[in-house]
Amino acid sequence: MRTVKISAKGYILRRENMTEDDVRTEKINFTCETETKQYLRLWAAKEGRTLSNLVERIILDAIERDKQSGGDK
């Protein structure tokens, strides 16, 4: 039995008895300049996205362009 406590804003607060298969996404961290993060936050807000979602979208677009240019060889 899985127990997940969710906050009012939808954040997972506690996971019990969850397996690796229950996690649908991976986390990645990167370091950037303060100005870059501020710009990304504004961009995300303008598009009604979370910062995380915007960064994922940018990366997926870049991966697609790379694949189209033959970068996956």
Side-chain angles (χ1 to χ4, degrees):
M1 174 186 211
R2 291 182 208 116
T3 302
V4 180
K5 185 176 179 184
I6 307 289
S7 74
K9 291 187 177 182
Y11 297 111
I12 295 176
L13 299 176
R14 184 181 68 222
R15 299 179 210 192
E16 294 175 7
N17 303 320
M18 293 184 78
T19 67
E20 208 171 292
D21 293 334
D22 296 323
V23 179
R24 296 186 186 150
T25 60
E26 295 285 332
K27 289 186 179 186
I28 186 168
N29 294 313
F30 73 97
T31 305
C32 64
E33 298 290 329
T34 301
E35 295 80 15
T36 301
K37 185 176 179 182
Q38 289 173 342
Y39 187 91
L40 289 170
R41 281 192 184 278
L42 290 171
W43 184 0
K46 184 171 63 173
E47 293 193 7
R49 300 175 180 265
T50 63
L51 178 58
S52 179
N53 180 260
L54 174 69
V55 171
E56 181 183 26
R57 183 75 260 149
I58 292 168
I59 291 169
L60 290 173
D61 289 347
I63 289 170
E64 187 59 34
R65 284 192 311 271
D66 186 62
K67 285 180 177 180
Q68 290 177 358
S69 69
D72 60 341
K73 293 179 183 178

